[in-house]
Amino acid sequence: MHYAIIAAGDGSRLTNEGIPLPKPLVKINGETLIERLIRIFNKNGAESISIIINSTKPQLAEYMAGLLQKEKNINLISGSTPSSVHSFYELRKFIKGPFCLTTVDTVFDEDEFAEYIAMFRNNTGAYDGVMGVTDYIDDEKPLYVRTTPAGEIEGFYDEYSEGIRYISAGIYSLKPVALEVLDRFMLSGQSRMRNYQRALVEAGLRLYAYPFGKVIDIDHKSDIEKAEKIARHA
């Protein structure tokens, strides 16, 4: 099982609110966001963990150099990309099989995550991907997810409409066929991760929605306290 972390954002909103650290180094419950994800992924059978960081953050580069001495299964890229899907595309070369992708600031309950990964691994072929979703909406621009009664994803939408229960949790477990869609998506000149998710549906991939409890992205200083309540340590 391969994992990938997008950690190349600028984190300007946190900086403007008085948090001087690069976002991956922000701590929740005493643990940096980047090390928390690495720990959880290793706990869930990581063959490799591919990470892209922002090349304009020397403090982060120094921190990651130290981590690389301890963690031998990490592939690291330092760069500057215009969007998260472009960051994903940079990581694509390291992903050789089924994988799970998320951004560094996505915080979830790790026991729920273990159940989610087990479900994806035990998928016998009925689905091409299992996407994390949540009915906890604490996002400025949520991506709404419409599902069938059986949990299959029918579409992703910028606006709420009747009958929609979930939004995307920003946790994506996909089979290699999704990388073929990514290649075509990037060649078409499109951008934004939400548009890539739509492209997966349009390409005919079968995606299953896996409901998490509360999931939050840390965009503001006030999100840190919320994240600490959601996170669960082993």
Side-chain angles (χ1 to χ4, degrees):
M1 181 77 184
H2 300 274
Y3 292 85
I5 303 171
I6 297 171
D10 185 58
S12 58
R13 284 174 290 190
L14 284 176
T15 302
N16 292 337
E17 293 174 9
I19 304 292
L21 293 170
K23 187 184 285 189
L25 302 188
V26 169
K27 290 185 177 182
I28 57 167
N29 298 326
E31 189 174 29
T32 65
L33 291 172
I34 190 71
E35 280 206 87
R36 179 176 189 267
L37 283 179
I38 291 170
R39 175 181 61 79
I40 292 171
F41 291 167
N42 279 327
K43 189 176 177 180
N44 286 278
E47 297 175 54
S48 71
I49 304 172
S50 301
I51 306 170
I52 182 168
I53 63 172
N54 193 317
S55 58
T56 68
K57 307 290 183 182
Q59 185 180 7
L60 178 57
E62 182 179 354
Y63 187 88
M64 291 305 298
L67 274 185
L68 289 173
Q69 298 300 313
K70 298 187 297 181
E71 305 287 349
K72 302 304 181 183
N73 62 342
I74 291 178
N75 303 308
L76 182 65
I77 297 176
S78 179
S80 179
T81 57
S83 73
S84 57
V85 75
H86 286 83
S87 294
F88 175 28
Y89 190 61
E90 291 297 316
L91 295 172
R92 184 230 190 283
K93 61 187 174 185
F94 294 119
I95 302 170
K96 307 300 181 184
F99 66 95
C100 177
L101 168 75
T102 189
T103 55
V104 73
D105 62 342
T106 301
V107 178
F108 45 78
D109 180 292
E110 63 183 85
D111 290 344
E112 283 188 327
F113 182 81
E115 294 170 0
Y116 161 75
I117 288 297
M119 186 270 181
F120 175 64
R121 282 177 157 169
N122 293 332
N123 172 19
T124 58
Y127 294 100
D128 299 303
V130 180
M131 315 292 267
V133 299
T134 178
D135 59 8
Y136 175 69
I137 303 177
D138 188 78
D139 196 301
E140 294 171 355
K141 295 181 179 179
L143 179 64
Y144 295 93
V145 184
R146 183 177 293 280
T147 62
T148 68
E152 187 167 349
I153 293 174
E154 294 183 312
F156 297 94
Y157 306 93
D158 292 328
E159 303 292 336
Y160 172 80
S161 61
E162 187 175 355
I164 290 180
R165 179 178 177 184
Y166 299 114
I167 64 170
S168 173
I171 307 167
Y172 322 103
S173 289
L174 296 161
K175 295 181 179 177
V177 65
L179 298 175
E180 299 173 15
V181 178
L182 177 64
D183 291 340
R184 295 194 297 270
F185 180 82
M186 297 303 292
L187 284 173
S188 71
Q190 298 183 72
S191 63
R192 303 190 73 191
M193 186 63 76
R194 61 181 55 200
N195 289 334
Y196 169 65
Q197 292 177 73
R198 293 182 179 112
L200 292 173
V201 175
E202 291 167 3
L205 272 64
R206 295 193 66 193
L207 305 174
Y208 183 84
Y210 186 95
F212 279 74
K214 291 183 177 181
V215 178
I216 192 170
D217 289 343
I218 297 180
D219 294 320
H220 298 282
K221 187 176 181 179
S222 60
D223 294 331
I224 297 174
E225 184 177 353
K226 297 175 187 177
E228 289 185 327
K229 291 178 180 179
I230 292 170
R232 177 180 296 166
H233 284 272

